[in-house]
Amino acid sequence: MRTVSDLSELKAVNQNNVELNNKAEKGSAMSGFHGLFIPGPTNMPFGVRQAMDIPLEDQRSPDFPAFTLPLFQDLKKVFKTETGQVFLFPGSGTGGWEASITNTLSPGDRVLVAVFGQFSHLWADLCQRHGLIVDKVDVEWGEGVPLDIYAERLKADKDHKIKAVLCCHNETATGVTSDIAGVRKALDAAGHPALLMVDGVSSIASIDFRMDEWGVDLAVSGSQKGFMLPTGLAIVAVSQKALEASKTAKCPRCFYDFAEMSKANKDGYFPYTPATTLMRGLRASVDTLLGEGLDNVFARHNRLAEGVRLAVDAWGLSLCAKEPKWHSDTVSAICVPKGFNAAEVIKVAYHRYRMSLGTGLSKVAGRVFRIGHIGNINEIMILQALAGSEMAMRDVGIPVEAGSGVAAAQEHFRATAPKIELAKVA
Ligand SMILES: Cc1ncc(COP(=O)(O)O)c(C=O)c1O
């Protein structure tokens, strides 16, 4: 029997499809779902959507802390921190960057940051706009944090002028994952006290991330990727060392102030109106992640990503990520052959096959299209993304063999699927 929420879900899906269909080829009445294969916003689990289909609530009610305090605690498990504190700001990943910088640094402070994609570029730019001195290391797009250069710079900085080391854990523009444990080693080898700040917007809750073990001081995430929610929350985990730094940091801040937030959060409340509906969704998302088990979540992402990588090989194409050590398990940026425009592939996929692929950003615009394999996604959805990509590539004349990528991924998924004994299942 259908429940009321099933029906409202169906109504919402239909409405969404009507709108997407209207935008797509006029006159063709298509059903089914529009495929969302961008690296965020990601596909929301039904249970998460249901958890947010509720009346608005009183954020100052006596029982609100019974909801918020356990949520803060459980979020720490996702970041793998026991000693850190997690803040939930209305905002997005960009707001999380701003919170991390303005709470812990002062204008004129020096930060070390490697730029190897649009998001590492934007974070460096944000630092500059806040009056910090940015020691920028330009790295070829397709590579990640250069551990050797970081180690040299830190060793050479005898006076400890560098106050923070910034790393984009997963550069979403190029599909590159960096070695954060390696950065911690470089800091320790140099005996350097700089804060370690990590952009985990497209890694946390999807790829292995260990805040305490790696000595991360600020870990920034947002709600719309691994947490499988709508955009609207900056989720920032902060170490005790960073909280201490925030007591003397002089960058102006108001909305993203750790101290104000901490004071109210201690009792389960907020200094201003919190995004209560998103937080209800976040509760369901954290339950889903912890219920699956973080290690299983990471393994699922790796398996799906591997299927995409095998498809790319079968197509005879290459990833933007230059070496396997940089391969991202949440997003693959796929280079189209010279003479072709990746934007055309994306456009054709959108209009002819009703699916969204990630676009190439900035330096790699037109050169790559991206498949997001992050969040609430499984092997059949990946096959759908690969099939649509294949069709769109062939439509624009890219000589990939029909079915080749899909077949490569299928065989990988078959070989790695859980074994079942047919006699024992109903
Ligand atoms: C790695 C990374 N950092 C930061 C951001 C910025 O986050 P937001 O768009 O939520 O502000 C993004 C967005 O895609 C991202 O992928």
Side-chain angles (χ1 to χ4, degrees):
M1 202 178 70
R2 284 204 189 290
T3 63
V4 172
S5 50
D6 283 339
L7 289 175
S8 59
E9 160 81 356
L10 284 176
K11 217 163 121 193
V13 167
N14 284 339
Q15 180 59 28
N16 193 25
N17 277 334
V18 167
E19 280 161 21
L20 288 166
N21 283 337
N22 285 344
K23 275 203 265 169
E25 288 178 274
K26 293 220 164 38
S28 65
M30 292 179 281
S31 55
F33 294 92
H34 179 95
L36 186 65
F37 303 116
I38 59 174
T42 59
N43 294 279
M44 283 193 289
F46 185 33
V48 170
R49 291 171 67 159
Q50 265 191 320
M52 292 186 290
D53 188 8
I54 49 165
L56 293 176
E57 63 190 297
D58 172 7
Q59 81 279 10
R60 299 189 206 282
S61 69
D63 53 1
F64 196 58
F67 163 60
T68 54
L69 293 173
L71 179 61
F72 294 144
Q73 282 309 314
D74 287 341
L75 275 166
K76 287 167 60 165
K77 297 179 191 159
V78 178
F79 283 83
K80 296 204 176 150
T81 182
E82 285 184 4
T83 54
Q85 187 172 345
V86 179
F87 292 106
L88 293 177
F89 292 105
S92 70
T94 307
W97 283 340
E98 187 154 314
S100 64
I101 296 299
T102 56
N103 278 281
T104 56
L105 299 171
S106 303
D109 278 354
R110 191 174 285 274
V111 298
L112 176 64
V113 54
V115 171
F116 41 81
Q118 180 63 0
F119 296 103
S120 39
H121 157 73
L122 288 174
W123 201 10
D125 177 60
L126 183 141
C127 290
Q128 222 140 16
R129 294 190 201 196
H130 279 286
L132 305 176
I133 299 169
V134 179
D135 273 355
K136 199 161 81 153
V137 185
D138 275 309
V139 175
E140 195 181 342
W141 287 33
E143 297 181 9
V145 171
L147 295 181
D148 48 347
I149 299 179
Y150 269 29
E152 268 168 37
R153 297 270 179 108
L154 290 167
K155 218 173 265 174
D157 182 34
K158 300 277 182 241
D159 303 335
H160 298 161
K161 291 219 165 73
I162 296 170
K163 298 298 175 205
V165 174
L166 275 52
C167 305
C168 184
H169 186 201
N170 190 75
E171 176 50 81
T172 321
T174 55
V176 160
T177 302
S178 287
D179 175 7
I180 303 302
V183 178
R184 166 48 58 201
K185 266 192 209 141
L187 278 157
D188 290 349
H192 203 294
L195 295 168
L196 176 54
M197 301 194 185
V198 177
D199 172 344
V201 173
S202 59
S203 63
I204 290 166
S206 315
I207 295 178
D208 190 16
F209 182 83
R210 309 175 193 188
M211 178 154 175
D212 284 359
E213 192 181 319
W214 297 344
V216 173
D217 293 299
L218 290 120
V220 175
S221 193
S223 46
Q224 78 276 20
K225 294 190 193 278
F227 286 100
M228 308 170 289
L229 287 163
T231 315
L233 291 175
I235 308 171
V236 185
V238 184
S239 73
Q240 291 303 321
K241 180 174 159 186
L243 286 173
E244 200 52 41
S246 72
K247 292 180 184 160
T248 50
K250 299 215 163 30
C251 276
R253 55 194 183 267
C254 172
F255 187 69
Y256 289 123
D257 190 57
F258 287 169
E260 296 288 323
M261 196 51 110
S262 228
K263 205 159 64 182
N265 279 180
K266 164 170 72 56
D267 301 319
Y269 294 103
F270 286 76
Y272 42 72
T273 317
T276 53
T277 311
L278 285 172
M279 284 162 51
R280 291 288 169 182
L282 183 60
R283 177 71 263 174
S285 154
V286 169
D287 288 345
T288 305
L289 289 165
L290 298 178
E292 184 176 353
L294 287 179
D295 287 343
N296 295 328
V297 171
F298 305 151
R300 172 168 54 82
H301 280 79
N302 176 261
R303 174 168 175 257
L304 298 180
E306 200 51 36
V308 173
R309 291 191 278 264
L310 289 166
V312 173
D313 271 352
W315 289 331
L317 301 181
S318 57
L319 291 170
C320 181
K322 298 254 176 298
E323 288 179 52
K325 70 172 177 180
W326 305 122
H327 285 171
S328 162
D329 282 346
T330 55
V331 54
S332 294
I334 299 157
C335 302
V336 296
K338 278 205 169 58
F340 292 96
N341 183 354
E344 294 290 314
V345 177
I346 296 163
K347 216 187 280 179
V348 167
Y350 187 83
H351 289 293
R352 296 200 74 190
Y353 306 119
R354 290 199 313 140
M355 57 182 274
S356 289
L357 295 166
T359 192
L361 298 169
S362 178
K363 270 193 202 176
V364 288
R367 285 181 39 212
V368 306
F369 68 90
R370 294 175 298 154
I371 296 181
H373 26 84
I374 171 168
N376 176 39
I377 199 153
N378 62 28
E379 54 273 76
I380 299 304
M381 293 160 83
I382 294 292
L383 293 174
Q384 187 187 348
L386 295 173
S389 302
E390 251 170 32
M391 292 193 288
M393 282 195 283
R394 286 173 60 77
D395 287 352
V396 304
I398 297 175
V400 294
E401 194 184 322
S404 56
V406 171
Q410 280 174 327
E411 290 308 292
H412 171 66
F413 296 149
R414 286 186 59 233
T416 53
K419 304 271 178 285
I420 54 161
E421 278 185 54
L422 277 180
K424 288 200 181 151
V425 291

